[in-house]
């Protein structure tokens, strides 16, 4: 379920991911956009913080100055001596109580603000109730329909009540209920403890709305946001234009390089200007011109070589036929010669056979090189091909004391292939296995699974050294140059075999270990032109040293866990191959790491102790 969910989520994102991975211009523009956006955001936060701090500092200074003047005026009015006459009789103490005086004081102080601030007076104490014994202010008063108890924070009232001096804090101005009730607005509240006309303490607060500062800060924010968005878009456009000037020639060069790789060697870049891009285009055109010249020279040289090999191979057939006829006459009359001359006649006949095989192989190689090899595919049963190959190799196997065994031939192994070419490949593999098998068994295994069929030839002879599993398919390569050829090989058999496998769209791969033999595996598609995804036979056989060591370790672990005795092995079996389990309906191994014939082989080195023992045995 998790895998299905991930697949459903990834499917709509695949086009975007593919576009992101292939378009460098998009990545550069996106990176520029993100970086510029980050810079604008960081700059905006810094500017807004600085402006906000500046506005609040200026507001605090102005508020403290205004509140200090109001506190001085209020205390001065409370300390004014009583009079009975005069224009300021309403502010004097005669005939008035503290409540009436306080109402008048709040109105008088608020009248000078003109909505720039509001004034509130609260009785001494943290609440509305006065302190015990107090005879002065007995209630909260405020101007402008301000709710003093809700607008002045408890923390500020406590600070004013428990200490002398002026205190300030940020809060909200809340208004009383009414038809035209205003919404709460942020404010700076400044308060101080004073005394009224009777000498009783009370708290006087100035509330300075921060509406203008908030509007100014919002204006700054909108300005920065608009300017930042404009800058981000502008930088993205600039990055797109600049990158396009660089990417466009690169894309042109990539397209021309793809066309050059497709064989259109006449393609060239269009060069304009004298800048770095222009010099790059000129260098690219020079490189393409030199590459075209070199390829043409190599093609001409290869054509001449192929023609030379083909011509020589054809021209040698006529004198070779004459020499063959003369050699046959001499060979038939060797009984009348002296022993030395008779032996020379036999050597001449053998070398002529090898010369004819070499000419045939050279002609076949020239056809592959010229691309003239044709595949005549038809449904065939590989079991019949294997039987014909084994019948032809029986005389050599009897001479070597080798037994050829066939496994997996109980069911038909059908594939669309060229019977002549497949038989040539298998004949080469079987003959090589018999020749290098040191008289031990040669096992031919057939299998079919999925869309592939395979034939593996296993021997238990000298094997292959590290690195030889891929070089064994090279032309005229020999594992041991000092080793004599008893079958008169030309050194081109495996090269022709691998070309035949490629012509079928199949694989020809090798595995080997020193002293442990080797295995060559031919894998062909069941249907012509069907791509191979794997082989039904593993390249490394089950009886290799590594697999036997793993099996022994697993068996030892199982025996130590269950304490059960293993049955003794059958000593009478000549073949060290254990019984192979039947092949399931699907492929028994995953797809090979490469689809090139001869690649993917693994060579297992001999252990040091075993190598020393074998070297001592050879010395004896």
């Amino acid at each position: 379920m998790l895998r299905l969910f991930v697949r459903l989520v990834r499917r709509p994102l695949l086009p975007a991911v593919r576009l992101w991975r292939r378009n460098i211009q998009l990545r550069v523009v996106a990176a520029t956009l993100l970086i510029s956006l980050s810079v604008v955001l960081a700059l905006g936060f810094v500017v807004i913080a600085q402006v906000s701090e500046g506005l609040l500092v200026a507001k605090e200074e102005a508020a403290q100055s205004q509140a200090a003047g109001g506190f001085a005026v209020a205390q001065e009015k409370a300390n004014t001596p009583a009079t009975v006459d005069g224009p300021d009789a309403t502010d004097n103490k005669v005939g008035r109580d503290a409540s009436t005086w306080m109402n008048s004081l709040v109105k008088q102080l608020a009248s000078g603000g003109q909505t720039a601030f509001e004034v509130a007076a609260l009785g001494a104490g943290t609440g509305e109730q006065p302190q015990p014994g107090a005879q002065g202010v007995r209630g909260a008063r405020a101007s402008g329909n301000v709710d003093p108890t809700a607008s002045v924070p408890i923390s500020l009232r406590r600070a004013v009540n428990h200490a002398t001096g002026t205190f300030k804090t940020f809060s909200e101005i809340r208004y009383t209920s009414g038809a035209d009730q205003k919404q709460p607005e942020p404010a700076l509240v400044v308060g101080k403890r004073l005394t009224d006309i009777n000498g009783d303490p009370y708290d006087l607060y100035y509330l300075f709305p921060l509406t203008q500062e908030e509007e100014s800060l919002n204006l700054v924010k909108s300005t920065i946001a608009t300017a930042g968005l404009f800058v981000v878009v502008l930088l993205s456009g600039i990055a797109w234009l600049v990158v396009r000037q660089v990417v466009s020639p690169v894309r042109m060069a990539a397209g021309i390089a793809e066309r050059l790789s497709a064989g259109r060697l006449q393609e060239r870049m269009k060069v304009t200007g004298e800048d770095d891009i222009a010099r790059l285009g000129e260098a690219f055109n020079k490189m393409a011109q030199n590459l075209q010249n070199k390829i043409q020279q190599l093609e001409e040289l290869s054509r001449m070589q192929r023609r030379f090999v083909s011509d020589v191979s054809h021209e040698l057939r006529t004198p070779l036929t004459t020499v063959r006829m003369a050699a046959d006459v001499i060979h038939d009359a060797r009984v009348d010669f002296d022993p030395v001359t008779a032996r020379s006649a036999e050597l001449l006949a053998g070398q002529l056979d090898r010369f004819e095989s070499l000419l045939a192989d050279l002609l076949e190689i020239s056809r592959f090189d010229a691309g003239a090899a044709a595949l005549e595919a038809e449904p065939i049963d590989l079991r019949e091909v294997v039987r014909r190959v084994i019948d032809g190799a029986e005389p050599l196997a009897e001479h070597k004391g080798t037994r050829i065994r066939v496994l997996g031939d109980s069911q038909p192994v059908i594939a669309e292939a060229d019977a002549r070419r497949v038989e040539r490949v298998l004949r080469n593999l079987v003959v090589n296995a018999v020749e290098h098998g040191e008289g031990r068994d040669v096992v031919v295994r057939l299998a079919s699974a999925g869309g592939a069929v395979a034939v593996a030839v296993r021997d238990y002879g000298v094997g292959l050294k590290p690195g030889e599993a891929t070089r064994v398919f090279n032309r005229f390569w020999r594992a041991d140059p000092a080793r004599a050829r008893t079958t008169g090989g030309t050194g081109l058999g495996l090269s022709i075999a691998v070309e035949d496998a490629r012509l079928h769209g199949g694989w020809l791969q090798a595995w080997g270990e020193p002293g442990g033999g080797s295995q060559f595996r031919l894998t062909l598609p069941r249907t012509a032109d069907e791509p191979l995804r794997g082989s039904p036979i593993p390249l490394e056989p089950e009886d290799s040293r590594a697999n036997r060591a793993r099996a022994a370790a697993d068996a030892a672990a199982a025996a130590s866990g269950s304490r059960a005795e293993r049955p003794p092995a059958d000593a009478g079996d000549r073949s060290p191959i254990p019984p192979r389990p039947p092949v399931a309906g699907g492929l028994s191994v995953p797809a090979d790491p490469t689809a090139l014939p001869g690649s993917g082989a693994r060579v297992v080195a001999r252990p040091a102790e075993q190598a020393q023992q074998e070297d001592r045995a050879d010395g004896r």
Side-chain angles (χ1 to χ4, degrees):
M1 293 298 295
L2 180 60
R3 185 179 301 174
L4 179 61
F5 175 75
V6 173
R7 186 179 303 172
L8 292 177
V9 172
R10 288 180 55 187
R11 183 174 300 174
L13 298 178
L14 287 179
V17 173
R18 189 178 298 111
L19 178 62
W20 174 265
R21 294 176 59 184
R22 294 183 178 180
N23 197 326
I24 188 174
Q25 187 175 1
L26 176 62
R27 294 201 301 269
V28 172
V29 172
T32 304
L33 177 63
L34 292 177
I35 294 174
S36 59
L37 182 61
S38 302
V39 172
V40 168
L41 288 176
L43 183 61
F45 284 129
V46 171
V47 171
I48 290 173
Q50 294 292 333
V51 171
S52 177
E53 184 178 0
L55 291 175
L56 292 179
V57 169
K59 186 66 175 181
E60 288 181 4
E61 293 178 354
Q64 288 181 348
S65 176
Q66 182 69 36
F71 294 150
V73 171
Q75 192 60 44
E76 181 181 358
K77 289 183 176 294
N79 297 332
T80 301
T83 59
V84 294
D85 298 324
D88 296 331
T90 57
D91 295 334
N92 296 333
K93 303 177 182 179
V94 177
R96 293 190 176 275
D97 56 8
S99 297
T100 305
W101 178 83
M102 184 60 64
N103 293 333
S104 177
L105 176 64
V106 169
K107 292 179 181 180
Q108 184 177 1
L109 294 177
S111 61
Q114 296 180 354
T115 68
F117 58 85
E118 302 292 344
V119 180
L122 298 177
T126 58
E128 297 183 3
Q129 298 297 327
Q131 294 181 353
Q135 300 296 328
V137 178
R138 292 184 176 271
R141 298 167 178 81
S143 62
N145 295 327
V146 174
D147 187 352
T149 57
S151 300
V152 179
I154 298 295
S155 58
L156 179 62
R157 295 166 63 180
R158 289 175 179 173
V160 171
N161 285 325
H162 292 83
T164 59
T166 304
F167 298 89
K168 66 179 183 299
T169 187
F170 291 98
S171 181
E172 285 186 346
I173 299 179
R174 298 183 179 274
Y175 297 92
T176 57
S177 302
D180 55 348
Q181 181 182 0
K182 298 181 179 179
Q183 296 297 325
E185 54 185 355
L188 174 63
V189 183
V190 181
K192 186 178 182 181
R193 169 63 61 84
L194 299 175
T195 56
D196 59 7
I197 54 176
N198 296 324
D200 296 324
Y202 72 99
D203 301 335
L204 186 62
Y205 298 94
Y206 273 77
L207 295 85
F208 296 91
L210 299 177
T211 306
Q212 295 182 354
E213 286 74 14
E214 187 176 13
E215 293 177 355
S216 301
L217 188 60
N218 291 334
L219 178 61
V220 172
K221 290 181 180 179
S222 60
T223 303
I224 292 178
T226 304
L229 180 62
F230 177 76
V231 169
V232 169
V233 174
L234 181 62
L235 290 178
S236 300
I238 294 175
W240 184 80
L241 292 175
V242 173
V243 174
R244 182 180 180 182
Q245 295 180 359
V246 179
V247 171
S248 296
V250 175
R251 289 177 177 172
M252 183 187 302
I256 294 176
E258 292 177 355
R259 291 191 287 273
L260 287 174
S261 64
R264 300 169 58 181
L265 302 179
Q266 71 280 1
E267 293 289 335
R268 298 294 183 271
M269 285 185 63
K270 182 179 180 181
V271 179
T272 56
E274 300 179 356
D275 54 4
D276 296 335
I277 301 298
R279 291 198 297 271
L280 175 63
E282 293 176 355
F284 185 88
N285 291 337
K286 291 180 180 178
M287 179 192 68
Q289 183 64 38
N290 294 333
L291 181 63
Q292 183 180 9
N293 295 335
K294 292 294 183 182
I295 291 177
Q296 290 177 352
Q297 293 176 4
L298 292 176
E299 288 179 349
E300 184 65 24
L301 179 61
S302 177
R303 190 180 304 108
M304 293 175 60
Q305 291 177 344
R306 292 195 299 268
R307 181 179 299 176
F308 174 77
V309 173
S310 178
D311 293 345
V312 169
S313 302
H314 283 88
E315 293 298 330
L316 285 178
R317 283 186 172 276
T318 300
L320 181 61
T321 303
T322 304
V323 173
R324 163 59 67 184
M325 295 173 61
D328 289 341
V329 173
I330 296 174
H331 186 268
D332 293 339
R334 70 184 183 279
V335 294
D336 300 330
F337 299 154
D338 59 273
V340 176
T341 305
R343 177 60 180 164
S344 299
E346 292 177 355
L347 292 176
L348 178 61
Q351 293 301 317
L352 281 176
D353 291 338
R354 184 178 179 184
F355 194 15
E356 287 181 342
S357 299
L358 179 60
L359 276 180
D361 291 344
L362 287 175
L363 284 174
E364 191 66 23
I365 286 290
S366 65
R367 293 190 189 97
F368 282 116
D369 291 341
L375 184 67
E376 299 178 0
E378 60 180 359
I380 61 173
D381 190 349
L382 293 183
R383 297 181 301 172
E384 300 296 332
V385 179
V386 169
R387 292 192 185 101
R388 291 197 300 268
V389 170
I390 293 177
D391 292 341
E394 277 297 335
L396 178 62
E398 292 178 359
H399 176 72
K400 287 284 189 177
T402 300
R403 183 179 66 172
I404 302 178
R405 303 176 58 198
V406 181
L407 301 178
D409 59 344
S410 59
Q411 297 292 333
V413 183
I414 308 298
E416 291 184 3
D418 191 332
R420 179 180 64 87
R421 296 183 183 276
V422 174
E423 183 175 350
R424 180 168 59 187
V425 174
L426 296 180
R427 181 184 301 112
N428 190 283
L429 298 181
V430 172
V431 170
N432 285 344
V434 171
E435 184 179 0
H436 298 86
E438 302 292 333
R440 299 183 179 92
D441 285 0
V442 172
V443 180
V444 180
R445 189 190 303 273
L446 296 91
S448 175
V453 297
V455 181
V457 180
R458 174 79 162 103
D459 68 82
Y460 299 91
V462 295
L464 297 174
K465 298 178 182 178
E468 292 181 349
T470 54
R471 295 164 55 194
V472 72
F473 298 100
N474 296 339
R475 297 177 182 180
F476 300 106
W477 183 86
R478 296 176 66 180
D480 187 2
R483 185 180 180 87
R485 291 186 181 271
T486 59
T487 58
T490 62
L492 295 175
L494 289 178
S495 300
I496 296 175
V498 78
E499 294 294 343
D500 284 331
R502 289 174 179 170
L503 191 62
H504 284 84
W507 304 336
L508 181 58
Q509 298 168 290
W511 169 92
E513 56 186 6
S518 61
Q519 176 167 292
F520 286 78
R521 182 186 67 183
L522 174 65
T523 307
L524 300 176
R526 187 189 296 270
T527 306
D529 300 330
E530 181 181 358
L532 286 177
R533 295 184 297 273
S535 178
I537 300 178
L539 182 60
E540 181 178 355
E542 299 173 354
D543 57 348
S544 65
R545 291 195 186 100
N547 287 335
R548 289 202 299 259
R550 284 192 291 267
D554 295 340
S560 62
S562 61
R563 300 187 180 274
E565 295 184 359
R566 297 180 57 187
D570 186 6
D573 189 4
R574 293 182 58 197
S575 174
I577 297 180
R580 188 173 187 271
V583 179
L587 295 179
S588 61
V589 292
D592 287 326
T594 58
L596 295 178
S599 62
R602 191 169 73 88
V603 177
V604 181
R606 290 181 295 174
E609 298 179 0
Q610 182 177 355
Q612 293 176 1
Q613 294 176 0
E614 293 176 359
D615 293 340
R616 287 196 295 269
D618 294 338
R620 290 195 298 269

